[in-house]
Amino acid sequence: MDKKVQEAIRYLGIKKDAADAGVCALVESSLQELIKEAQPKSVCRIFELQELGDRAVQIGKLKIDSRSLARNLKNCHRAVLFGATLGTGTDRLITRTGLRDMARAVALQACAAALLEEYCDQCQEEIGRELEKEGEYLRPRFSPGYGDFDISYQKPIMRMLDCAKQIGLSMTDGCMMTPTKSVTAVIGISPVKEHCPVQGCEACGSTDCPYRR
């Protein structure tokens, strides 16, 4: 079974072994339909990082009050600000499908989440390969909404990345991203390799890691 199909089934809240042939077929066909419409784009910039105790960090000129993020970025001296989107075509497809087939629209939502996650992993791996040439390593992505990292920080992060111009990503007054199948994240840069999987904490069995989100 394709990894993206497995992830989409997980996003549907169904255990892999519990997904019957009908669910698998629906997810697989939805994924293929989604891939035709998606136009993934990303943008990233590297900023200097300053630790402000155990409750806050400063990335560039942006101060972020978050114990969770500060813990994730412990001993990092720089950070990557990252943004990615699947594009407006994905939103249009899901909305259009929801008017006639709600079950398929739900499957498309799950497939979009899986596709976006895989795309972000690929981008992070590429960034990581370049940094490793300089003897530096990436921590797992940490997005607004994780722990006490308030979702409102998406707005200044998007502004620092010039997301509207670079990848067509904007935000409503209610902190909703447009297109909706989009993400922003902070990725710490450290001189120490922690062997964190690019898929993040969900793919790691270490429960006592100080960087766990």
Side-chain angles (χ1 to χ4, degrees), residues 1 15 66 77 92 99 101-102 108 119 163 182 206:
M1 186 185 296
K15 292 184 179 180
S66 167
H77 61 286
R92 288 196 297 266
L99 298 175
D101 188 342
M102 185 53 65
L108 284 168
Y119 176 64
C163 282
S182 306
S206 177

Side-chain angles (χ1 to χ4, degrees), residues 132-156:
E132 284 189 23
K133 295 175 183 177
E134 305 170 20
E136 297 189 305
Y137 305 92
L138 294 179
R139 294 275 173 79
R141 291 189 302 278
F142 205 94
S143 292
Y146 291 166
D148 63 352
F149 186 12
D150 197 272
I151 197 168
S152 64
Y153 283 109
Q154 287 186 138
K155 192 167 187 176

Side-chain angles (χ1 to χ4, degrees), residues 25-160:
L26 174 62
V27 171
E28 288 173 357
S29 62
S30 297
L31 180 61
Q32 293 308 310
E33 188 176 9
L34 183 74
I35 289 172
K36 293 178 182 177
E37 297 294 332
Q39 293 183 310
K41 296 179 182 179
S42 66
V43 60
C44 69
R45 287 186 64 191
I46 294 176
F47 293 87
E48 295 299 312
L49 168 68
Q50 181 182 357
E51 296 181 60
L52 305 175
D54 62 355
R55 296 175 178 268
V57 295
Q58 184 162 323
I59 300 173
K61 295 182 179 180
L62 175 63
K63 181 186 175 185
I64 301 175
D65 293 304
S66 167
R67 180 188 290 271
S68 301
L69 181 62
R71 183 173 64 245
N72 179 270
L73 298 177
K74 187 72 174 175
N75 298 323
C76 291
H77 61 286
R78 294 194 295 167
V80 180
L81 294 190
F82 175 79
T85 181
L86 294 183
T88 57
T90 299
D91 281 6
R92 288 196 297 266
L93 173 62
I94 294 172
T95 300
R96 193 166 64 240
T97 303
L99 298 175
R100 55 180 173 79
D101 188 342
M102 185 53 65
R104 191 170 189 84
V106 171
L108 284 168
Q109 291 274 7
C111 288
L115 188 62
L116 180 59
E117 190 73 10
E118 181 183 73
Y119 176 64
C120 291
D121 288 347
Q122 292 170 351
C123 292
Q124 184 168 340
E125 286 173 349
E126 184 176 340
I127 297 167
R129 281 193 295 269
E130 291 302 311
L131 285 169
E132 284 189 23
K133 295 175 183 177
E134 305 170 20
E136 297 189 305
Y137 305 92
L138 294 179
R139 294 275 173 79
R141 291 189 302 278
F142 205 94
S143 292
Y146 291 166
D148 63 352
F149 186 12
D150 197 272
I151 197 168
S152 64
Y153 283 109
Q154 287 186 138
K155 192 167 187 176
I157 289 174
M158 290 169 63
R159 186 167 55 246
M160 292 168 73

